[in-house]
Amino acid sequence: MHLIIQGLDVGNYDLRALAKLAGADEIEKVSGQAFRLKNIQQQDGISDYCEETQLDYAVVEPDLNLTDFKLIAMDMDSTLLAIESIDEIADIHHTKQQVAEITLKTMRGEISFEESLTQRTALLRGVHIDALQKVYEERMRLSPGAEIMLKKAKTAGLKTMVISGGFTFFTDRIKEKLQLDFATANTFEVQENRLTGKVLGKILGREGKAEALSNVCDKLGISRSQVIAIGDGANDLDMLAAAGVSIAYHAKPVVQQQATFSLNHVGLDGVINLFNQ
């Protein structure tokens, strides 16, 4: 097994200490902020050391190759994007505090996503469609490393997909901007250019995200084991469970406990560093 160490500032002292702790026989530089400690002998103490030094770590199989995968699927808000889009709409509508409180409860798994989205969308009743465009143009920010991750994934032959419990207003634009292959999300009901406070059709929630992933796998003729999925909240758990490799990105504890790997300090480009390229 190999140990991948990543961080915003990985020092030689930490690398040597971790190599000794893990019984690694070689330290290999993967990128400016990522290193591979090869052929480790044990894992005890690694988690505590990395938590104390704010480093991300992952114990990986030596033959974990990026080119063995065919699809990378990402949650949108607080994963591919560094914002919660619905919270930003609510900020313009002066209901951000109420919406953010519901969002947080959902991310922690305290209420169902369907109930949460219904409540949050109701608080946006009356918002003009121009406000959504304003959020997209002025507040939409990609998570650090997102474009690097996508470029390298595409170069390796992977298809790209965003699966969001948010809304198609944003996923459609992001899909075009980043040239993603697939995008799935919920749809606002709009009347006379204003949000009615309702969601059209069946809400795409926890189960729906996994179903959307499955449908794309069937369309591409690939197995679930050929999928890398990335998410941060309880609503992503079924989607993550349906993938061959799941990655908790700056995620809630319940997600980190169930994901294959967790990234808490580096950006999305850290996803690529987990694999042989």
Side-chain angles (χ1 to χ4, degrees):
M1 303 293 284
H2 296 337
L3 177 65
I4 305 296
I5 298 296
Q6 303 191 71
L8 300 180
D9 184 18
V10 186
N12 288 331
Y13 176 86
D14 291 323
L15 289 173
R16 290 194 297 268
L18 283 164
K20 182 177 180 180
L21 185 62
D25 61 18
E26 183 182 349
I27 300 175
E28 179 181 71
K29 186 175 182 178
V30 178
S31 72
Q33 62 180 17
F35 298 83
R36 182 180 292 110
L37 280 56
K38 303 180 76 170
N39 303 315
I40 66 171
Q41 302 303 309
Q42 65 95 28
Q43 301 177 32
D44 294 342
I46 292 171
S47 177
D48 291 341
Y49 189 100
C50 289
E51 182 176 356
E52 183 178 341
T53 53
Q54 295 189 315
L55 297 174
D56 287 321
Y57 77 95
V59 177
V60 304
E61 297 282 353
D63 60 350
L64 186 65
N65 302 312
L66 186 59
T67 52
D68 290 337
F69 295 84
K70 302 300 181 184
L71 173 68
I72 185 164
M74 303 149 282
D75 173 48
M76 181 176 69
D77 293 309
S78 296
T79 302
L80 181 58
L81 298 186
I83 65 166
E84 287 286 332
S85 56
I86 196 168
D87 289 9
E88 298 302 322
I89 301 169
D91 187 39
I92 291 176
H93 195 52
H94 307 297
T95 55
K96 185 171 183 176
Q97 183 176 349
Q98 301 99 299
V99 168
E101 288 173 357
I102 299 170
T103 298
L104 187 58
K105 289 181 180 180
T106 314
M107 297 293 285
R108 293 195 301 243
E110 295 175 5
I111 61 175
S112 73
F113 180 81
E114 290 78 6
E115 179 184 357
S116 163
L117 190 65
T118 299
Q119 292 179 11
R120 289 181 292 165
T121 306
L123 289 168
L124 302 180
R125 182 179 179 182
V127 171
H128 196 279
I129 200 73
D130 288 348
L132 276 64
Q133 187 65 29
K134 182 180 178 69
V135 167
Y136 178 76
E137 292 176 354
E138 298 180 5
R139 304 194 181 193
M140 194 279 287
R141 293 182 294 112
L142 295 175
S143 289
E147 290 178 293
I148 294 173
M149 177 192 72
L150 290 170
K151 181 179 179 180
K152 292 188 175 182
K154 292 175 183 179
T155 299
L158 281 72
K159 298 294 186 181
T160 55
M161 179 179 190
V162 61
I163 310 176
S164 177
F167 290 93
T168 54
F169 183 92
F170 297 103
T171 57
D172 288 350
R173 285 160 174 77
I174 290 165
K175 177 176 181 285
E176 182 178 359
K177 174 183 174 65
L178 300 177
Q179 297 184 312
L180 305 178
D181 295 294
F182 304 97
T184 304
N186 293 296
T187 305
F188 285 121
E189 182 181 69
V190 178
Q191 293 182 359
E192 298 180 354
N193 291 321
R194 293 189 180 274
L195 305 188
T196 66
K198 297 180 181 180
V199 181
L200 287 176
K202 183 180 178 181
I203 290 177
L204 182 75
R206 178 169 165 172
E207 293 180 0
K209 294 181 93 169
E211 183 178 349
L213 178 60
S214 178
N215 289 340
V216 168
C217 287
D218 291 344
K219 183 175 182 178
L220 293 174
I222 64 174
S223 70
R224 312 304 180 265
S225 64
Q226 294 173 298
V227 176
I228 300 167
I230 312 167
D232 70 308
N235 188 44
D236 298 315
L237 287 173
D238 287 6
M239 175 185 76
L240 295 174
V245 169
S246 57
I247 298 170
Y249 179 72
H250 296 229
K252 299 299 180 287
V254 65
V255 182
Q256 295 193 42
Q257 291 164 9
Q258 299 184 42
T260 312
F261 305 119
S262 294
L263 296 176
N264 294 312
H265 304 293
V266 297
L268 282 173
D269 49 327
V271 170
I272 300 299
N273 294 330
L274 298 172
F275 302 85
N276 300 322
Q277 299 171 51

